[in-house]
Amino acid sequence: MNLQEKPPFATPFEWIGGEERVRLLVDRFYDLMDLEPGYAALRAAHGSTLSNARQRLFWFLCGWLGGPQHYTERFGHPRLRARHLPFAIGIRERDQWLGCMDQAMGETGVDEALRARLRESFFQTADWMRNRGEHHEQAASA
């Protein structure tokens, strides 16, 4: 392994700067969702208030990034796909979520190397959560 490939911290949680920085990222993510017209479909999927979503994403990301397991201590395994099945998540919602998170990472100063790694991981997770889209619609009409 090339020494330059080794992350400078033991976990992404440490790399991002701990709970304070995760909270800053999550708050900016939801603020952008409220402010930017380009995230309207994503915002509409979240209902009238974002406070519950803010807290749960903060708890989840802390653990997902390798920090304290706040989410699993409260709710058990995240079961992300199952918990999101009631919501229509297609390519548009996936792409708006990813765009909003990437913008939030940029605006909160997430290190560029970490941002690139997270962008890839977020894409894999967000794409796996899709429950609407071309392949689903084709299967339903077959």
Side-chain angles (χ1 to χ4, degrees):
M1 174 182 205
N2 184 330
L3 288 178
Q4 292 178 338
E5 294 176 10
K6 188 176 187 317
F9 297 94
T11 65
F13 181 78
E14 291 176 22
W15 195 352
I16 205 167
E19 286 191 17
E20 182 179 325
R21 301 295 297 174
V22 174
R23 171 63 72 192
L24 187 66
L25 174 62
V26 168
D27 284 345
R28 188 63 189 149
F29 172 76
Y30 284 109
D31 289 348
L32 286 168
M33 194 187 298
D34 253 346
L35 296 169
E36 297 287 338
Y39 306 131
L42 179 64
R43 177 62 187 91
H46 281 80
S48 61
T49 179
L50 295 174
S51 60
N52 188 41
R54 276 181 199 266
Q55 190 58 49
R56 287 177 186 247
L57 183 60
F58 168 73
W59 286 332
F60 172 76
L61 284 182
C62 282
W64 186 75
L65 292 167
Q69 298 294 313
H70 299 308
Y71 189 94
T72 56
E73 288 169 4
R74 287 167 174 82
F75 306 108
H77 189 281
R79 297 173 31 244
L80 290 181
R81 186 159 168 79
R83 291 186 198 270
H84 286 80
L85 277 175
F87 308 100
I89 302 172
I91 292 170
R92 179 178 61 173
E93 292 79 13
R94 176 202 67 191
D95 289 351
Q96 286 186 17
W97 195 98
L98 292 168
C100 190
M101 181 55 75
D102 190 55
Q103 185 176 347
M105 287 192 294
E107 291 184 12
T108 58
V110 173
D111 179 89
E112 196 54 46
L114 175 59
R115 185 177 172 190
R117 290 172 185 239
L118 292 177
R119 192 181 298 123
E120 185 177 320
S121 295
F122 283 139
F123 176 83
Q124 292 170 357
T125 302
D127 195 55
W128 175 70
M129 303 244 298
R130 283 194 303 124
N131 54 34
R132 303 286 187 279
E134 295 81 27
H135 64 280
H136 296 288
E137 290 164 7
Q138 288 172 355
S141 64

